[in-house]
Amino acid sequence: MASPTAGDAPLAAPAADATDAALAAAAAVPDPDAEFGFQRPELGKEKLVGTVGFHERHVFLCYKGPDVWPSHLEAAESDRLPRLLAAAIKARKPNLKKTIKLTICEGEDGTESSNGDVLIFPDMIRYKGLTHFDVDNFVEEVLVKDIDWLPGSPEPMSGSYVFVCSHGSRDKRCGVCGPALIKRFKEEINGLGLDGQVSVSACSHVGGHKYAGNVIIFSSDAKGDVTGHWYGYVVPDDVPVLLHKHIEQGEIVDHLWRGQMGLSEEQQKQALELRSMLNGGKESLEETGTDGASCNPAAAGGCCQGNGGFTCCQTDLPKEKQDKSMAAEQNPKSSEENDKEGGAVSKKGNTKTCPMPTWFETWERADTYAALAVVAAAAAVFVSFRIYKNLN
């Protein structure tokens, strides 16, 4: 067998160099999950409760999908329908019957949620086929006058609806966390035989990128009332818990709870404090809900926070248009508060045992007032009795 010539030997070196270079390049590529997903170091480090801006009605417009959504969908010139709807709601804001939040959700023609469909919560109604020609009339009839829209009759909705922020062009955290959560939701829903009872959909920016994964659930509570509960720092292993506790049992999962529709930010904090007291929890509000990862067996990190000057928020608008585009959101003040990046960070590094949810977690604002009234009445009786004894 002929031995290799002197000219053949050097050919092995470039091949080895190319392999080493390819491995080095692969190693240099950042892991999106570690940087923006569920393994990011800052996941679960900030308080969640009280981070939902006040709104009484949540309107979802079904329109295309997150893969084609621009960063500021409600202000994009190329997307006429969401832009006109956002502008019409903003223009009629002083005359609205209820404070409204507008969000875009995934739409696909030929499905239950086709492009142009409008879902309204907590009303649990759907209007089909809104076009840009109908926007002003729709807002006037449905959202201002609170009557049926004549071109189309409202269709009642039933079951539970889950919306997961997957607006990757707005923020990379949501772009990484959202699709993974939707995938897990669909797997669990199918495995539990809940198809047709629980619907899950991608949605646009809801406020609070740093709390990704962000999940909103509309379902009936123990009283049969429908409201929207917001959850943050949700990771895939939390999905079975949310389905079992929140949707099947009507119980709030406190350690992931950001707040709910219909409550102010302060009322959200008070509601969590009251549930904690009723559950016999020893943690104060300052400790409860500050560290999602502590109560979350799967959370070891998360999507980017913007701490220390770093942010992964995306925009495709010129700088001079960015401020104007934000006006399309229905609660800009609350939205800005939701997106503040410098909130308090939990100083406790030890893991905490989450209190088991009970039926008290369905406690509503009216129940709180009733309980306070009873306490006040009891105190008045006690004081009157003491005065009577002293006079005698």
Side-chain angles (χ1 to χ4, degrees):
M1 181 175 179
S3 60
T5 64
D8 295 330
L11 295 177
D17 291 344
T19 302
D20 293 341
L23 292 174
V29 175
D31 180 4
D33 190 56
E35 189 173 0
F36 305 118
F38 305 114
Q39 299 301 318
R40 67 190 191 275
E42 68 275 14
L43 183 141
K45 298 299 184 183
E46 295 195 22
K47 293 181 178 67
L48 290 172
V49 64
T51 59
V52 176
F54 177 76
H55 60 290
E56 299 166 287
R57 178 179 271 171
H58 205 152
V59 175
F60 286 82
L61 171 66
C62 301
Y63 185 80
K64 300 182 180 179
D67 292 342
V68 297
W69 290 341
S71 64
H72 290 75
L73 185 56
E74 298 87 349
E77 292 292 331
S78 59
D79 296 286
R80 185 185 301 180
L81 182 56
R83 174 170 55 83
L84 291 178
L85 181 58
I89 293 175
K90 179 176 181 292
R92 300 294 282 149
K93 185 176 181 180
N95 307 109
L96 295 174
K97 296 289 186 181
K98 298 178 180 179
T99 306
I100 290 176
K101 181 173 182 64
L102 173 65
T103 301
I104 311 303
C105 66
E106 193 168 16
E108 183 179 353
D109 290 334
T111 68
E112 184 182 28
S113 299
S114 299
N115 286 305
D117 288 0
V118 180
L119 317 180
I120 304 179
F121 300 93
D123 310 61
M124 292 294 283
I125 58 176
R126 179 200 312 269
Y127 283 96
K128 302 287 288 185
L130 180 69
T131 71
H132 61 276
F133 298 108
D134 307 316
V135 165
D136 289 334
N137 180 257
F138 175 83
V139 170
E140 181 68 23
E141 298 294 318
V142 177
L143 304 181
V144 175
K145 296 180 179 179
D146 210 11
I147 61 177
D148 290 349
W149 180 44
L150 294 180
S153 58
E155 299 179 0
M157 300 190 301
S158 61
S160 299
Y161 288 79
V162 179
F163 296 94
V164 183
C165 183
S166 306
H167 202 164
S169 63
R170 184 73 174 265
D171 189 274
K172 291 182 180 178
R173 291 164 287 195
C174 300
V176 173
C177 298
L181 289 175
I182 291 175
K183 180 176 182 291
R184 183 64 182 270
F185 265 111
K186 289 182 176 180
E187 291 173 350
E188 293 294 329
I189 290 170
N190 182 64
L192 294 171
L194 296 176
D195 294 289
Q197 302 176 50
V198 182
S199 172
V200 59
S201 175
C203 73
S204 65
H205 168 68
V206 294
H209 304 301
K210 59 187 175 182
Y211 307 123
N214 284 303
V215 174
I216 305 175
I217 299 178
F218 294 94
S219 62
S220 300
D221 59 18
K223 300 177 181 179
D225 298 326
V226 175
T227 188
H229 288 270
W230 295 44
Y231 291 103
Y233 291 143
V234 179
V235 302
D237 282 352
D238 291 320
V239 169
V241 178
L242 291 173
L243 287 172
H244 176 63
K245 290 294 183 182
H246 189 115
I247 292 180
E248 291 186 344
Q249 298 185 349
E251 299 175 354
I252 297 172
V253 182
D254 278 337
H255 71 276
L256 299 172
W257 192 67
R258 291 183 56 186
Q260 73 179 70
M261 177 172 58
L263 296 185
S264 68
E265 295 171 8
E266 186 59 34
Q267 288 170 334
Q268 293 164 25
K269 296 176 183 178
Q270 293 171 356
L272 180 60
E273 182 75 26
L274 180 60
R275 288 200 300 271
S276 179
M277 292 171 58
L278 293 173
N279 290 338
K282 297 181 180 180
E283 294 176 317
S284 69
L285 178 60
E286 294 302 315
E287 297 173 344
T288 304
T290 57
D291 190 349
S294 297
C295 294
N296 190 337
C303 302
C304 64
Q305 300 274 74
N307 294 336
F310 169 72
T311 179
C312 52
C313 294
Q314 308 294 301
T315 179
D316 54 6
L317 292 178
K319 187 177 188 304
E320 62 271 15
K321 288 189 177 182
Q322 291 180 25
D323 294 334
K324 294 181 181 179
S325 69
M326 295 304 293
E329 298 186 8
Q330 294 310 302
N331 201 342
K333 181 177 179 181
S334 297
S335 178
E336 290 169 6
E337 292 173 355
N338 287 349
D339 288 339
K340 287 181 180 177
E341 305 291 339
V345 177
S346 172
K347 297 180 180 179
K348 292 186 175 285
N350 298 327
T351 58
K352 292 178 276 188
T353 302
C354 297
M356 290 299 293
T358 71
W359 67 271
F360 289 116
E361 291 181 325
T362 61
W363 196 274
E364 299 293 338
R365 181 168 34 170
D367 300 310
T368 302
Y369 294 153
L372 291 175
V374 172
V375 172
V381 171
F382 176 75
V383 171
S384 300
F385 178 73
R386 292 295 300 272
I387 294 174
Y388 174 77
K389 287 192 64 176
N390 289 337
L391 291 175
N392 289 275

